[in-house]
Short mmCIF file of all heavy atoms in Angstrom, two decimals:
data_model
loop_
_atom_site.label_atom_id
_atom_site.label_comp_id
_atom_site.label_asym_id
_atom_site.label_seq_id
_atom_site.Cartn_x
_atom_site.Cartn_y
_atom_site.Cartn_z
N GLU A 1258 -39.29 27.59 27.94
CA GLU A 1258 -38.52 26.53 27.28
C GLU A 1258 -37.05 26.51 27.69
O GLU A 1258 -36.23 25.89 27.03
CB GLU A 1258 -38.62 26.69 25.76
CG GLU A 1258 -40.03 26.54 25.23
CD GLU A 1258 -40.64 25.19 25.57
OE1 GLU A 1258 -39.93 24.17 25.46
OE2 GLU A 1258 -41.82 25.16 25.97
N ARG A 1259 -36.69 27.23 28.74
CA ARG A 1259 -35.31 27.27 29.24
C ARG A 1259 -34.33 27.92 28.25
O ARG A 1259 -33.14 27.60 28.24
CB ARG A 1259 -34.79 25.87 29.57
CG ARG A 1259 -35.24 25.33 30.91
CD ARG A 1259 -34.21 24.30 31.40
NE ARG A 1259 -34.66 23.62 32.59
CZ ARG A 1259 -35.37 22.50 32.57
NH1 ARG A 1259 -35.70 21.95 31.44
NH2 ARG A 1259 -35.74 21.93 33.70
N SER A 1260 -34.81 28.80 27.40
CA SER A 1260 -33.91 29.53 26.52
C SER A 1260 -33.07 30.48 27.36
O SER A 1260 -33.40 30.78 28.51
CB SER A 1260 -34.70 30.32 25.48
OG SER A 1260 -35.43 31.36 26.11
N GLN A 1261 -31.97 30.98 26.78
CA GLN A 1261 -31.14 31.93 27.50
C GLN A 1261 -31.92 33.18 27.85
O GLN A 1261 -31.74 33.78 28.92
CB GLN A 1261 -29.91 32.29 26.66
CG GLN A 1261 -28.88 33.13 27.42
CD GLN A 1261 -28.40 32.45 28.70
OE1 GLN A 1261 -28.12 31.26 28.71
NE2 GLN A 1261 -28.33 33.21 29.79
N GLU A 1262 -32.81 33.58 26.95
CA GLU A 1262 -33.66 34.75 27.22
C GLU A 1262 -34.58 34.49 28.40
O GLU A 1262 -34.76 35.36 29.27
CB GLU A 1262 -34.50 35.07 25.97
CG GLU A 1262 -35.38 36.29 26.14
CD GLU A 1262 -36.22 36.57 24.90
OE1 GLU A 1262 -36.05 35.85 23.89
OE2 GLU A 1262 -37.05 37.50 24.95
N ASP A 1263 -35.16 33.28 28.47
CA ASP A 1263 -36.02 32.91 29.59
C ASP A 1263 -35.24 32.94 30.90
O ASP A 1263 -35.72 33.44 31.92
CB ASP A 1263 -36.59 31.50 29.40
CG ASP A 1263 -37.77 31.46 28.45
OD1 ASP A 1263 -38.32 32.53 28.15
OD2 ASP A 1263 -38.12 30.36 28.01
N VAL A 1264 -34.03 32.37 30.89
CA VAL A 1264 -33.22 32.29 32.10
C VAL A 1264 -32.87 33.69 32.59
O VAL A 1264 -32.96 33.99 33.79
CB VAL A 1264 -31.95 31.46 31.86
CG1 VAL A 1264 -30.99 31.58 33.04
CG2 VAL A 1264 -32.31 29.99 31.63
N GLU A 1265 -32.48 34.59 31.67
CA GLU A 1265 -32.13 35.96 32.07
C GLU A 1265 -33.35 36.68 32.63
O GLU A 1265 -33.25 37.39 33.65
CB GLU A 1265 -31.58 36.71 30.86
CG GLU A 1265 -31.25 38.16 31.12
CD GLU A 1265 -30.21 38.36 32.21
OE1 GLU A 1265 -29.33 37.48 32.37
OE2 GLU A 1265 -30.26 39.39 32.90
N LYS A 1266 -34.50 36.51 31.98
CA LYS A 1266 -35.73 37.15 32.46
C LYS A 1266 -36.08 36.63 33.85
O LYS A 1266 -36.43 37.41 34.75
CB LYS A 1266 -36.87 36.86 31.48
CG LYS A 1266 -38.22 37.42 31.89
CD LYS A 1266 -39.23 37.31 30.74
CE LYS A 1266 -39.45 35.88 30.32
NZ LYS A 1266 -40.49 35.75 29.25
N CYS A 1267 -35.96 35.33 34.06
CA CYS A 1267 -36.28 34.74 35.36
C CYS A 1267 -35.29 35.18 36.43
O CYS A 1267 -35.66 35.33 37.60
CB CYS A 1267 -36.32 33.22 35.25
SG CYS A 1267 -37.74 32.60 34.35
N TYR A 1268 -34.04 35.36 36.05
CA TYR A 1268 -33.02 35.85 36.99
C TYR A 1268 -33.43 37.21 37.53
O TYR A 1268 -33.41 37.45 38.75
CB TYR A 1268 -31.67 35.93 36.30
CG TYR A 1268 -30.55 36.45 37.17
CD1 TYR A 1268 -29.78 35.59 37.93
CD2 TYR A 1268 -30.25 37.81 37.21
CE1 TYR A 1268 -28.75 36.05 38.73
CE2 TYR A 1268 -29.21 38.29 38.01
CZ TYR A 1268 -28.47 37.41 38.76
OH TYR A 1268 -27.46 37.88 39.56
N GLN A 1269 -33.83 38.10 36.64
CA GLN A 1269 -34.21 39.45 37.06
C GLN A 1269 -35.47 39.42 37.92
O GLN A 1269 -35.58 40.14 38.93
CB GLN A 1269 -34.42 40.35 35.83
CG GLN A 1269 -33.17 40.56 35.00
CD GLN A 1269 -32.02 41.18 35.79
OE1 GLN A 1269 -32.23 41.96 36.73
NE2 GLN A 1269 -30.80 40.84 35.41
N ILE A 1270 -36.44 38.59 37.54
CA ILE A 1270 -37.68 38.49 38.33
C ILE A 1270 -37.38 37.89 39.70
O ILE A 1270 -38.00 38.26 40.71
CB ILE A 1270 -38.74 37.67 37.58
CG1 ILE A 1270 -39.15 38.37 36.29
CG2 ILE A 1270 -39.97 37.43 38.46
CD1 ILE A 1270 -40.08 37.55 35.41
N SER A 1271 -36.42 36.97 39.77
CA SER A 1271 -36.04 36.38 41.06
C SER A 1271 -35.56 37.45 42.03
O SER A 1271 -35.91 37.44 43.21
CB SER A 1271 -34.94 35.33 40.86
OG SER A 1271 -35.41 34.21 40.14
N ILE A 1272 -34.74 38.37 41.53
CA ILE A 1272 -34.22 39.45 42.38
C ILE A 1272 -35.38 40.32 42.87
O ILE A 1272 -35.47 40.66 44.06
CB ILE A 1272 -33.19 40.31 41.61
CG1 ILE A 1272 -32.07 39.44 41.03
CG2 ILE A 1272 -32.64 41.40 42.52
CD1 ILE A 1272 -31.35 38.58 42.02
N GLU A 1273 -36.28 40.67 41.97
CA GLU A 1273 -37.44 41.48 42.35
C GLU A 1273 -38.31 40.73 43.35
O GLU A 1273 -38.84 41.32 44.31
CB GLU A 1273 -38.26 41.83 41.11
CG GLU A 1273 -37.53 42.70 40.10
CD GLU A 1273 -38.24 42.77 38.76
OE1 GLU A 1273 -39.39 42.29 38.68
OE2 GLU A 1273 -37.65 43.29 37.79
N SER A 1274 -38.45 39.43 43.14
CA SER A 1274 -39.30 38.62 44.02
C SER A 1274 -38.75 38.55 45.43
O SER A 1274 -39.50 38.51 46.41
CB SER A 1274 -39.44 37.20 43.45
OG SER A 1274 -40.10 37.22 42.20
N ALA A 1275 -37.42 38.51 45.56
CA ALA A 1275 -36.81 38.50 46.89
C ALA A 1275 -37.23 39.73 47.67
O ALA A 1275 -37.58 39.65 48.86
CB ALA A 1275 -35.29 38.42 46.77
N HIS A 1276 -37.22 40.88 47.02
CA HIS A 1276 -37.65 42.12 47.67
C HIS A 1276 -39.13 42.05 48.04
O HIS A 1276 -39.53 42.46 49.14
CB HIS A 1276 -37.41 43.31 46.74
CG HIS A 1276 -35.96 43.68 46.60
ND1 HIS A 1276 -35.38 44.70 47.31
CD2 HIS A 1276 -34.98 43.16 45.82
CE1 HIS A 1276 -34.10 44.80 46.98
NE2 HIS A 1276 -33.83 43.86 46.08
N THR A 1277 -39.95 41.51 47.14
CA THR A 1277 -41.39 41.40 47.40
C THR A 1277 -41.68 40.52 48.59
O THR A 1277 -42.48 40.87 49.48
CB THR A 1277 -42.10 40.84 46.16
OG1 THR A 1277 -41.91 41.72 45.06
CG2 THR A 1277 -43.60 40.67 46.42
N MET A 1278 -41.04 39.35 48.66
CA MET A 1278 -41.31 38.42 49.75
C MET A 1278 -40.76 38.92 51.07
O MET A 1278 -41.33 38.65 52.13
CB MET A 1278 -40.78 37.03 49.38
CG MET A 1278 -41.62 36.40 48.28
SD MET A 1278 -41.24 34.66 47.88
CE MET A 1278 -39.74 34.88 46.92
N ALA A 1279 -39.67 39.68 51.01
CA ALA A 1279 -39.16 40.31 52.23
C ALA A 1279 -40.20 41.29 52.78
O ALA A 1279 -40.47 41.32 53.99
CB ALA A 1279 -37.84 41.01 51.96
#
Side-chain angles (χ1 to χ4, degrees):
E1258 297 302 317
R1259 280 206 187 91
S1260 67
Q1261 188 57 44
E1262 182 181 356
D1263 280 346
V1264 170
E1265 177 60 31
K1266 178 170 60 177
C1267 288
Y1268 179 90
Q1269 297 302 329
I1270 296 173
S1271 293
I1272 305 305
E1273 296 167 9
S1274 296
H1276 287 262
T1277 299
M1278 289 187 283

